Short mmCIF file of all heavy atoms in Angstrom, two decimals:
data_model
loop_
_atom_site.label_atom_id
_atom_site.label_comp_id
_atom_site.label_asym_id
_atom_site.label_seq_id
_atom_site.Cartn_x
_atom_site.Cartn_y
_atom_site.Cartn_z
N LEU A 181 -83.33 243.38 -16.64
CA LEU A 181 -83.66 243.69 -15.26
C LEU A 181 -84.18 242.51 -14.46
O LEU A 181 -84.39 242.63 -13.25
CB LEU A 181 -84.72 244.81 -15.21
CG LEU A 181 -84.28 246.17 -15.76
CD1 LEU A 181 -85.45 247.15 -15.70
CD2 LEU A 181 -83.09 246.71 -15.00
N ALA A 182 -84.38 241.34 -15.10
CA ALA A 182 -85.03 240.26 -14.37
C ALA A 182 -84.70 238.89 -14.96
O ALA A 182 -84.23 238.77 -16.09
CB ALA A 182 -86.54 240.47 -14.35
N VAL A 183 -84.99 237.87 -14.16
CA VAL A 183 -84.96 236.47 -14.59
C VAL A 183 -86.40 235.98 -14.59
O VAL A 183 -87.08 236.04 -13.57
CB VAL A 183 -84.10 235.62 -13.64
CG1 VAL A 183 -84.07 234.16 -14.11
CG2 VAL A 183 -82.69 236.18 -13.55
N HIS A 184 -86.87 235.52 -15.75
CA HIS A 184 -88.27 235.17 -15.95
C HIS A 184 -88.43 233.65 -15.99
O HIS A 184 -87.93 232.99 -16.91
CB HIS A 184 -88.78 235.76 -17.26
CG HIS A 184 -88.55 237.23 -17.39
ND1 HIS A 184 -89.56 238.16 -17.24
CD2 HIS A 184 -87.42 237.95 -17.64
CE1 HIS A 184 -89.07 239.38 -17.41
NE2 HIS A 184 -87.77 239.28 -17.66
N CYS A 185 -89.09 233.07 -15.00
CA CYS A 185 -89.34 231.64 -15.00
C CYS A 185 -90.46 231.33 -15.99
O CYS A 185 -91.42 232.08 -16.13
CB CYS A 185 -89.74 231.18 -13.61
SG CYS A 185 -88.46 231.39 -12.36
N LEU A 186 -90.32 230.21 -16.68
CA LEU A 186 -91.30 229.79 -17.66
C LEU A 186 -92.00 228.52 -17.18
O LEU A 186 -91.42 227.73 -16.44
CB LEU A 186 -90.60 229.54 -19.01
CG LEU A 186 -90.02 230.78 -19.70
CD1 LEU A 186 -89.16 230.37 -20.89
CD2 LEU A 186 -91.14 231.72 -20.16
N PRO A 187 -93.31 228.35 -17.58
CA PRO A 187 -94.02 229.15 -18.57
C PRO A 187 -94.73 230.39 -18.03
O PRO A 187 -95.02 231.31 -18.78
CB PRO A 187 -95.05 228.15 -19.12
CG PRO A 187 -95.34 227.25 -17.96
CD PRO A 187 -94.03 227.11 -17.22
N ASP A 188 -95.03 230.44 -16.73
CA ASP A 188 -95.90 231.51 -16.23
C ASP A 188 -95.34 232.27 -15.05
O ASP A 188 -96.07 232.79 -14.23
CB ASP A 188 -97.27 230.90 -15.82
CG ASP A 188 -97.98 230.24 -16.98
OD1 ASP A 188 -98.04 230.86 -18.06
OD2 ASP A 188 -98.46 229.11 -16.81
N GLY A 189 -94.03 232.35 -14.93
CA GLY A 189 -93.46 233.10 -13.83
C GLY A 189 -93.06 232.17 -12.70
O GLY A 189 -93.14 230.95 -12.83
N PRO A 190 -92.57 232.73 -11.59
CA PRO A 190 -92.50 234.15 -11.25
C PRO A 190 -91.35 234.87 -11.96
O PRO A 190 -90.56 234.25 -12.66
CB PRO A 190 -92.26 234.13 -9.74
CG PRO A 190 -91.48 232.87 -9.53
CD PRO A 190 -92.05 231.87 -10.50
N VAL A 191 -91.32 236.19 -11.75
CA VAL A 191 -90.26 237.04 -12.27
C VAL A 191 -89.39 237.47 -11.10
O VAL A 191 -89.89 238.03 -10.12
CB VAL A 191 -90.84 238.27 -12.99
CG1 VAL A 191 -89.72 239.19 -13.45
CG2 VAL A 191 -91.71 237.85 -14.16
N ARG A 192 -88.09 237.20 -11.19
CA ARG A 192 -87.16 237.60 -10.14
C ARG A 192 -86.42 238.84 -10.60
O ARG A 192 -85.68 238.82 -11.58
CB ARG A 192 -86.17 236.48 -9.84
CG ARG A 192 -86.83 235.20 -9.35
CD ARG A 192 -85.82 234.26 -8.75
NE ARG A 192 -85.16 234.85 -7.59
CZ ARG A 192 -84.75 234.15 -6.53
NH1 ARG A 192 -84.94 232.85 -6.47
NH2 ARG A 192 -84.14 234.75 -5.54
N ARG A 193 -86.61 239.93 -9.87
CA ARG A 193 -85.95 241.19 -10.23
C ARG A 193 -84.47 241.12 -9.87
O ARG A 193 -84.10 240.97 -8.72
CB ARG A 193 -86.61 242.36 -9.49
CG ARG A 193 -88.09 242.52 -9.79
CD ARG A 193 -88.33 242.85 -11.24
NE ARG A 193 -89.77 242.89 -11.56
CZ ARG A 193 -90.26 243.06 -12.78
NH1 ARG A 193 -89.42 243.19 -13.80
NH2 ARG A 193 -91.56 243.09 -12.99
N MET A 194 -83.63 241.18 -10.90
CA MET A 194 -82.18 241.12 -10.71
C MET A 194 -81.52 241.95 -11.80
O MET A 194 -81.29 241.45 -12.91
CB MET A 194 -81.68 239.67 -10.78
CG MET A 194 -82.12 238.77 -9.65
SD MET A 194 -81.38 237.09 -9.78
CE MET A 194 -79.68 237.43 -9.30
N PRO A 195 -81.21 243.19 -11.54
CA PRO A 195 -80.56 244.00 -12.57
C PRO A 195 -79.20 243.44 -12.95
O PRO A 195 -78.50 242.85 -12.13
CB PRO A 195 -80.43 245.38 -11.91
CG PRO A 195 -80.48 245.10 -10.44
CD PRO A 195 -81.36 243.91 -10.27
N ALA A 196 -78.84 243.61 -14.22
CA ALA A 196 -77.57 243.11 -14.74
C ALA A 196 -76.61 244.28 -14.94
O ALA A 196 -76.97 245.31 -15.53
CB ALA A 196 -77.78 242.37 -16.05
N LEU A 197 -75.39 244.11 -14.46
CA LEU A 197 -74.32 245.09 -14.65
C LEU A 197 -73.40 244.60 -15.75
O LEU A 197 -72.95 243.45 -15.72
CB LEU A 197 -73.54 245.28 -13.35
CG LEU A 197 -74.34 245.64 -12.10
CD1 LEU A 197 -73.42 245.71 -10.88
CD2 LEU A 197 -75.07 246.96 -12.29
N SER A 198 -73.10 245.46 -16.71
CA SER A 198 -72.19 245.06 -17.79
C SER A 198 -71.45 246.27 -18.31
O SER A 198 -71.87 247.42 -18.08
CB SER A 198 -72.96 244.37 -18.92
OG SER A 198 -73.84 245.28 -19.55
N HIS A 199 -70.37 246.02 -19.02
CA HIS A 199 -69.58 247.08 -19.63
C HIS A 199 -70.05 247.33 -21.07
O HIS A 199 -70.75 246.51 -21.67
CB HIS A 199 -68.10 246.71 -19.65
CG HIS A 199 -67.48 246.61 -18.30
ND1 HIS A 199 -67.47 247.65 -17.40
CD2 HIS A 199 -66.82 245.59 -17.69
CE1 HIS A 199 -66.84 247.29 -16.30
NE2 HIS A 199 -66.43 246.04 -16.45
N ARG A 200 -69.58 248.46 -21.61
CA ARG A 200 -69.80 248.79 -23.02
C ARG A 200 -68.45 249.26 -23.58
O ARG A 200 -68.21 250.47 -23.71
CB ARG A 200 -70.88 249.86 -23.17
CG ARG A 200 -71.40 250.03 -24.59
CD ARG A 200 -72.56 251.02 -24.61
NE ARG A 200 -73.03 251.31 -25.95
CZ ARG A 200 -73.96 250.61 -26.59
NH1 ARG A 200 -74.51 249.58 -26.00
NH2 ARG A 200 -74.35 250.95 -27.80
N PRO A 201 -67.58 248.33 -23.91
CA PRO A 201 -66.22 248.71 -24.35
C PRO A 201 -66.25 249.61 -25.58
O PRO A 201 -67.06 249.43 -26.49
CB PRO A 201 -65.57 247.36 -24.68
CG PRO A 201 -66.33 246.36 -23.89
CD PRO A 201 -67.75 246.88 -23.87
N GLY A 202 -65.37 250.59 -25.56
CA GLY A 202 -65.23 251.45 -26.72
C GLY A 202 -66.13 252.67 -26.72
O GLY A 202 -65.97 253.57 -27.54
N GLY A 203 -67.08 252.74 -25.79
CA GLY A 203 -67.96 253.88 -25.73
C GLY A 203 -67.30 255.07 -25.05
O GLY A 203 -66.29 254.93 -24.34
N ALA A 204 -67.90 256.23 -25.23
CA ALA A 204 -67.33 257.45 -24.65
C ALA A 204 -67.33 257.40 -23.13
O ALA A 204 -66.48 257.99 -22.48
CB ALA A 204 -68.12 258.66 -25.14
N GLY A 205 -68.29 256.68 -22.56
CA GLY A 205 -68.39 256.61 -21.11
C GLY A 205 -67.80 255.35 -20.53
O GLY A 205 -68.22 254.92 -19.44
N GLU A 206 -66.80 254.76 -21.19
CA GLU A 206 -66.26 253.48 -20.75
C GLU A 206 -65.73 253.55 -19.32
O GLU A 206 -66.04 252.69 -18.49
CB GLU A 206 -65.17 253.02 -21.71
CG GLU A 206 -64.54 251.69 -21.35
CD GLU A 206 -63.46 251.29 -22.33
OE1 GLU A 206 -63.77 251.12 -23.53
OE2 GLU A 206 -62.31 251.16 -21.89
N ARG A 207 -64.89 254.54 -19.02
CA ARG A 207 -64.30 254.63 -17.68
C ARG A 207 -65.36 254.90 -16.62
O ARG A 207 -65.34 254.29 -15.54
CB ARG A 207 -63.24 255.73 -17.65
CG ARG A 207 -61.98 255.37 -18.41
CD ARG A 207 -60.90 256.42 -18.18
NE ARG A 207 -59.67 256.08 -18.86
CZ ARG A 207 -58.56 256.80 -18.80
NH1 ARG A 207 -58.55 257.92 -18.07
NH2 ARG A 207 -57.47 256.43 -19.46
N ALA A 208 -66.28 255.80 -16.93
CA ALA A 208 -67.35 256.08 -15.98
C ALA A 208 -68.20 254.84 -15.75
O ALA A 208 -68.64 254.56 -14.63
CB ALA A 208 -68.21 257.24 -16.49
N GLY A 209 -68.44 254.08 -16.82
CA GLY A 209 -69.22 252.86 -16.69
C GLY A 209 -68.54 251.82 -15.83
O GLY A 209 -69.20 251.10 -15.06
N ALA A 210 -67.21 251.74 -15.92
CA ALA A 210 -66.48 250.80 -15.08
C ALA A 210 -66.61 251.17 -13.61
O ALA A 210 -66.82 250.30 -12.75
CB ALA A 210 -65.01 250.78 -15.50
N ARG A 211 -66.49 252.45 -13.32
CA ARG A 211 -66.67 252.90 -11.93
C ARG A 211 -68.10 252.63 -11.46
O ARG A 211 -68.32 252.23 -10.31
CB ARG A 211 -66.34 254.39 -11.80
CG ARG A 211 -64.86 254.72 -11.96
CD ARG A 211 -64.57 256.13 -11.52
NE ARG A 211 -65.26 257.11 -12.34
CZ ARG A 211 -64.77 257.63 -13.47
NH1 ARG A 211 -63.57 257.28 -13.89
NH2 ARG A 211 -65.46 258.53 -14.16
N LEU A 212 -69.06 252.84 -12.37
CA LEU A 212 -70.46 252.62 -12.01
C LEU A 212 -70.71 251.16 -11.68
O LEU A 212 -71.47 250.85 -10.75
CB LEU A 212 -71.37 253.07 -13.16
CG LEU A 212 -72.87 252.85 -12.95
CD1 LEU A 212 -73.35 253.65 -11.75
CD2 LEU A 212 -73.63 253.26 -14.21
N MET A 213 -70.07 250.23 -12.43
CA MET A 213 -70.27 248.81 -12.13
C MET A 213 -69.83 248.49 -10.71
O MET A 213 -70.55 247.81 -9.95
CB MET A 213 -69.50 247.93 -13.12
CG MET A 213 -69.50 246.45 -12.74
SD MET A 213 -68.63 245.37 -13.89
CE MET A 213 -69.89 245.14 -15.15
N VAL A 214 -68.65 248.98 -10.32
CA VAL A 214 -68.15 248.70 -8.98
C VAL A 214 -69.02 249.36 -7.92
O VAL A 214 -69.38 248.75 -6.91
CB VAL A 214 -66.69 249.16 -8.84
CG1 VAL A 214 -66.19 248.94 -7.42
CG2 VAL A 214 -65.80 248.41 -9.83
N ASP A 215 -69.40 250.61 -8.15
CA ASP A 215 -70.23 251.32 -7.18
C ASP A 215 -71.60 250.67 -7.04
O ASP A 215 -72.14 250.54 -5.94
CB ASP A 215 -70.40 252.78 -7.59
CG ASP A 215 -69.12 253.59 -7.46
OD1 ASP A 215 -68.19 253.11 -6.77
OD2 ASP A 215 -69.03 254.68 -8.06
N ALA A 216 -72.19 250.25 -8.18
CA ALA A 216 -73.51 249.61 -8.13
C ALA A 216 -73.42 248.27 -7.41
O ALA A 216 -74.31 247.93 -6.61
CB ALA A 216 -74.05 249.43 -9.55
N ALA A 217 -72.36 247.49 -7.69
CA ALA A 217 -72.20 246.21 -6.99
C ALA A 217 -72.07 246.43 -5.49
O ALA A 217 -72.65 245.68 -4.69
CB ALA A 217 -70.98 245.48 -7.53
N ARG A 218 -71.32 247.45 -5.09
CA ARG A 218 -71.16 247.75 -3.66
C ARG A 218 -72.52 248.11 -3.04
O ARG A 218 -72.85 247.64 -1.93
CB ARG A 218 -70.17 248.88 -3.48
CG ARG A 218 -69.90 249.23 -2.02
CD ARG A 218 -68.89 250.34 -1.87
NE ARG A 218 -67.55 249.92 -2.30
CZ ARG A 218 -66.95 250.35 -3.41
NH1 ARG A 218 -67.57 251.21 -4.22
NH2 ARG A 218 -65.74 249.91 -3.72
N THR A 219 -73.30 248.92 -3.74
CA THR A 219 -74.60 249.33 -3.22
C THR A 219 -75.56 248.15 -3.13
O THR A 219 -76.24 247.95 -2.12
CB THR A 219 -75.20 250.43 -4.11
OG1 THR A 219 -74.35 251.57 -4.09
CG2 THR A 219 -76.58 250.83 -3.61
N PHE A 220 -75.65 247.36 -4.20
CA PHE A 220 -76.53 246.20 -4.19
C PHE A 220 -76.15 245.24 -3.06
O PHE A 220 -77.01 244.69 -2.38
CB PHE A 220 -76.49 245.48 -5.52
CG PHE A 220 -77.09 246.25 -6.68
CD1 PHE A 220 -76.64 246.04 -7.98
CD2 PHE A 220 -78.10 247.16 -6.48
CE1 PHE A 220 -77.19 246.73 -9.03
CE2 PHE A 220 -78.66 247.86 -7.52
CZ PHE A 220 -78.20 247.65 -8.81
N ALA A 221 -74.85 245.02 -2.90
CA ALA A 221 -74.39 244.10 -1.86
C ALA A 221 -74.75 244.63 -0.47
O ALA A 221 -75.16 243.86 0.41
CB ALA A 221 -72.89 243.89 -1.99
N ARG A 222 -74.59 245.92 -0.26
CA ARG A 222 -74.92 246.49 1.04
C ARG A 222 -76.41 246.35 1.35
O ARG A 222 -76.80 246.10 2.49
CB ARG A 222 -74.53 247.97 1.08
CG ARG A 222 -74.71 248.60 2.46
CD ARG A 222 -74.28 250.04 2.49
NE ARG A 222 -75.18 250.90 1.72
CZ ARG A 222 -74.86 251.51 0.59
NH1 ARG A 222 -73.65 251.36 0.06
NH2 ARG A 222 -75.74 252.27 -0.04
N LEU A 223 -77.23 246.44 0.30
CA LEU A 223 -78.68 246.33 0.47
C LEU A 223 -79.16 244.88 0.44
O LEU A 223 -80.35 244.63 0.57
CB LEU A 223 -79.39 247.12 -0.64
CG LEU A 223 -79.15 248.63 -0.66
CD1 LEU A 223 -79.80 249.25 -1.89
CD2 LEU A 223 -79.70 249.27 0.62
N ARG A 224 -78.23 243.92 0.26
CA ARG A 224 -78.57 242.50 0.12
C ARG A 224 -79.51 242.28 -1.05
O ARG A 224 -80.41 241.45 -1.00
CB ARG A 224 -79.20 241.92 1.41
CG ARG A 224 -78.78 242.57 2.72
CD ARG A 224 -77.29 242.61 2.92
NE ARG A 224 -76.70 241.28 3.05
CZ ARG A 224 -75.39 241.05 3.00
NH1 ARG A 224 -74.54 242.06 2.83
NH2 ARG A 224 -74.93 239.84 3.14
N MET A 225 -79.32 243.01 -2.09
CA MET A 225 -80.20 242.97 -3.26
C MET A 225 -79.62 242.05 -4.33
O MET A 225 -78.48 242.22 -4.75
CB MET A 225 -80.35 244.38 -3.84
CG MET A 225 -81.19 244.44 -5.09
SD MET A 225 -81.35 246.16 -5.65
CE MET A 225 -82.18 245.91 -7.22
N PRO A 226 -80.34 241.03 -4.77
CA PRO A 226 -79.84 240.14 -5.83
C PRO A 226 -79.52 240.94 -7.10
O PRO A 226 -80.27 241.83 -7.49
CB PRO A 226 -80.99 239.17 -6.06
CG PRO A 226 -81.77 239.18 -4.78
CD PRO A 226 -81.68 240.60 -4.28
N PHE A 227 -78.40 240.60 -7.75
CA PHE A 227 -78.05 241.27 -8.99
C PHE A 227 -77.18 240.34 -9.81
O PHE A 227 -76.84 239.23 -9.39
CB PHE A 227 -77.36 242.61 -8.73
CG PHE A 227 -75.98 242.51 -8.13
CD1 PHE A 227 -74.84 242.64 -8.92
CD2 PHE A 227 -75.81 242.30 -6.77
CE1 PHE A 227 -73.57 242.57 -8.37
CE2 PHE A 227 -74.53 242.22 -6.20
CZ PHE A 227 -73.41 242.36 -7.01
N ARG A 228 -76.82 240.80 -11.01
CA ARG A 228 -76.05 239.98 -11.94
C ARG A 228 -74.87 240.78 -12.49
O ARG A 228 -74.94 242.01 -12.58
CB ARG A 228 -76.94 239.53 -13.10
CG ARG A 228 -78.08 238.62 -12.67
CD ARG A 228 -79.04 238.36 -13.83
NE ARG A 228 -79.88 239.50 -14.11
CZ ARG A 228 -80.47 239.73 -15.29
NH1 ARG A 228 -80.26 238.92 -16.31
NH2 ARG A 228 -81.24 240.79 -15.44
N ILE A 229 -73.82 240.05 -12.85
CA ILE A 229 -72.65 240.65 -13.48
C ILE A 229 -72.43 239.93 -14.79
O ILE A 229 -72.27 238.70 -14.81
CB ILE A 229 -71.41 240.53 -12.57
CG1 ILE A 229 -71.65 241.25 -11.25
CG2 ILE A 229 -70.18 241.09 -13.28
CD1 ILE A 229 -70.59 240.98 -10.20
N ALA A 230 -72.42 240.67 -15.89
CA ALA A 230 -72.27 240.08 -17.22
C ALA A 230 -70.86 240.36 -17.74
O ALA A 230 -70.41 241.50 -17.77
CB ALA A 230 -73.30 240.67 -18.18
N LEU A 231 -70.19 239.30 -18.16
CA LEU A 231 -68.82 239.39 -18.68
C LEU A 231 -68.84 239.10 -20.17
O LEU A 231 -69.44 238.12 -20.61
CB LEU A 231 -67.92 238.37 -17.97
CG LEU A 231 -67.98 238.36 -16.44
CD1 LEU A 231 -67.11 237.25 -15.89
CD2 LEU A 231 -67.57 239.72 -15.88
#
Side-chain angles (χ1 to χ4, degrees):
L181 296 178
V183 180
H184 306 255
C185 296
L186 294 170
D188 299 314
V191 177
R192 299 194 61 147
R193 301 296 175 185
M194 292 183 73
L197 305 177
S198 65
H199 294 303
R200 194 175 175 88
E206 180 180 299
R207 289 188 178 182
R211 290 192 298 271
L212 178 61
M213 171 179 279
V214 177
D215 290 344
R218 182 179 293 109
T219 298
F220 292 152
R222 186 178 69 249
L223 297 174
R224 331 306 295 168
M225 178 178 173
F227 69 100
R228 296 172 285 157
I229 299 170
L231 310 176

